[in-house]
Amino acid sequence: MANYKLGGALEQISASKRELDAITRDQKKILKDSENELKRVTKEHERQIKNCKDEIEQARNGFYGHVQTLAGIVLYGDRIVAEAKSIPLSDDLEIEVNSSGNVYSETTVRGGGTSVAGAVIGGAVAGPVGAVVGGRKGVKSKSEVQDERKLFISIVSSVDSAVVELDPKMELDARRLVAETKKQIKTLGNRKGEMDAELAELTQRLVMLEKDTTAIDEARSRLEKQEIASASVIEEAKARHEAVKNSFDQNQIEEEKKARRNANVRKIVMGLGFTFGALLFLLGVFWLTSAVDGAAFGTASLLLADFLLVKSFITLRDGRAEEKDGE
C-alpha cells in the first residue's frame, strides 16, 4: 500500500483517488496497445491472403485474358469470339484472310462537236482514243475510283465456324490478328501447363495462409491475458482506495469538509479585504492631498482602509495557524 503524506482524511483520500485514476489510465493504454497489435496482425494476415488471391487471378488472366481485338472479333488466350460465337482455340482451328474484287478508275466524257485541231493534238498525245476525245469541242471528263474489294476473316473448327466481313483497308490488321491467333494455338499447351502449375502452387499457398492463424491466435491470447491482468491491477487499486476511505470516521471527514469550506470563505473575505483596503487607502491619500475640504473624507477612508487591511492580515495569520494545527 502506498504511503501518503499525513495531512487529514481528505488529503489522503484524494491522493488515493489520484493513484487509482493514474493506474486506470495506464492499464487502459496497455490494453489499447494490445488491441491495436491484434488488429495489425489480423490486417497483415488478410493482406497476405488478398495478395495471393490477386496472384491467382493474374495467373488465370495470363492464360484466359484478352489478347487482341479487331472490329467484331476478339481474341483471348484460350478462345476467339466472332459473330457472338465463342470458339475454343485448338489444333484443328483454321483461320485465314480472304479477299476479292479490285480497285479501278472510270472516266466519263461529255462534250460538243468535233474539232480538227483538237483531234490532231489529241491523236499525237494519246493515240486514237485521244484523237476522239481531243477532236470534240467543249469536252468535259470526270474520273472516279471504284473499290469493289471485299475482305473476310474465316474461322473454322470442329466446334463452330464464323465469317466476318471487314473494311478492305484493314487487311494488314486482319493478317496480324490471324498470325497472333495461330501463335496462341501453337503455344496453347505450354501456356496451359504453366498456368496449371502456377495455380497449383498459389492455391496451396492460399490454403496454408488461410489455415495459419498462429500470429492472430498469439496476439489474441496476449490481449486476453492482458485484460485479466489489467482488471486485477485496477481492482487492487480500487480496493486500496476503498480501504483509505474506510480508514477514516465519517464525522472526521465531514469536519474536514467544513473546515475546507470555511478556509475557502476566509480566503475570499481576505482577498476582498486587501482589495478594498488598498482602494480606500489610495482614495484617502487622494482626498487628503488633492481635494479641497477633503480632510474628513480622506481621514475616514484611511481609517477604514487600515481596519480592512489589519483584519485581512489577522485572517491570514489565523488561517495559517489552523493549517499548522491540522498537520
Side-chain angles (χ1 to χ4, degrees):
M1 181 174 176
N3 294 320
Y4 301 106
K5 178 184 175 182
L6 295 178
L10 293 179
E11 183 177 343
Q12 294 186 52
I13 292 172
S14 296
S16 174
K17 183 62 167 61
R18 287 193 298 271
E19 180 197 44
L20 172 60
D21 293 341
I23 290 174
T24 302
R25 284 194 303 271
D26 291 343
Q27 294 304 312
K28 285 183 177 180
K29 183 180 182 302
I30 294 173
L31 282 176
K32 188 66 176 178
D33 291 342
S34 297
E35 291 172 357
N36 290 338
E37 176 63 13
L38 175 59
K39 289 179 181 179
R40 187 194 67 77
V41 171
T42 302
K43 286 183 178 180
E44 175 62 21
H45 184 252
E46 292 172 349
R47 185 189 67 80
Q48 292 178 359
I49 292 175
K50 181 181 180 301
N51 288 345
C52 188
K53 289 181 177 179
D54 289 343
E55 290 182 38
I56 290 175
E57 187 63 23
Q58 290 173 6
R60 291 181 181 278
N61 289 337
F63 178 75
Y64 296 106
H66 172 268
V67 177
Q68 188 174 342
T69 298
L70 178 65
I73 305 173
V74 183
L75 174 64
Y76 296 92
D78 67 321
R79 65 196 185 281
I80 187 167
V81 178
E83 294 183 327
K85 300 174 183 178
S86 181
I87 305 174
L89 299 184
S90 61
D91 291 336
D92 71 340
L93 185 145
E94 296 181 359
I95 180 170
E96 58 183 8
V97 178
N98 299 309
S99 61
S100 64
N102 53 25
V103 180
Y104 63 92
S105 176
E106 272 188 354
T107 301
T108 303
V109 180
R110 295 193 183 114
T114 303
S115 168
V116 175
V120 172
I121 297 172
V125 174
V129 176
V132 173
V133 176
R136 300 176 64 90
K137 294 188 292 185
V139 170
K140 294 181 179 180
S141 63
K142 180 181 180 182
S143 296
E144 292 183 353
V145 176
Q146 301 295 333
D147 189 351
E148 293 183 352
R149 293 176 301 167
K150 299 290 184 181
L151 183 67
F152 304 91
I153 285 185
S154 60
I155 305 167
V156 180
S157 79
S158 59
V159 176
D160 212 333
S161 64
V163 177
V164 179
E165 183 175 359
L166 303 173
D167 186 334
K169 297 177 182 178
M170 301 174 67
E171 183 174 356
L172 179 58
D173 292 331
R175 295 190 182 280
R176 286 173 176 164
L177 175 65
V178 170
E180 184 61 36
T181 303
K182 292 179 179 180
K183 172 187 172 184
Q184 294 295 317
I185 292 173
K186 286 185 176 182
T187 60
L188 184 65
N190 290 337
R191 290 188 294 108
K192 183 68 164 58
E194 291 173 358
M195 181 196 68
D196 290 342
E198 186 175 5
L199 286 179
E201 179 184 347
L202 290 172
T203 301
Q204 183 179 5
R205 191 205 306 174
L206 178 62
V207 171
M208 293 177 62
L209 282 172
E210 290 175 337
K211 288 183 177 180
D212 185 10
T213 59
T214 304
I216 295 176
D217 295 339
E218 290 176 353
R220 184 177 290 112
S221 176
R222 287 194 297 270
L223 174 60
E224 291 172 353
K225 291 178 180 179
Q226 187 59 55
E227 287 174 341
I228 296 172
S230 294
S232 176
V233 170
I234 292 173
E235 286 301 318
E236 290 177 1
K238 287 181 178 179
R240 290 197 299 270
H241 178 58
E242 291 298 321
V244 171
K245 288 198 299 183
N246 295 332
S247 66
F248 297 100
D249 181 72
Q250 189 63 33
N251 292 330
Q252 181 184 354
I253 295 175
E254 292 300 324
E255 288 178 1
E256 286 196 16
K257 287 182 179 180
K258 181 178 179 181
R260 285 195 175 186
R261 287 194 297 270
N262 292 337
N264 290 333
V265 170
R266 281 198 303 271
K267 289 178 181 179
I268 295 172
V269 172
M270 182 178 61
L272 292 173
F274 278 122
T275 302
F276 284 108
L279 289 174
L280 288 172
F281 176 79
L282 294 174
L283 185 61
V285 171
F286 171 77
W287 281 103
L288 288 174
T289 59
S290 301
V292 181
D293 299 330
F297 290 104
T299 302
S301 296
L302 291 175
L303 290 174
L304 185 56
D306 179 68
F307 171 76
L308 290 175
L309 292 173
V310 171
K311 183 65 176 176
S312 297
F313 278 116
I314 293 173
T315 303
L316 176 62
R317 182 198 61 190
D318 293 343
R320 288 181 175 176
E322 289 183 7
E323 288 179 359
K324 287 184 179 181
D325 292 340
E327 291 183 354

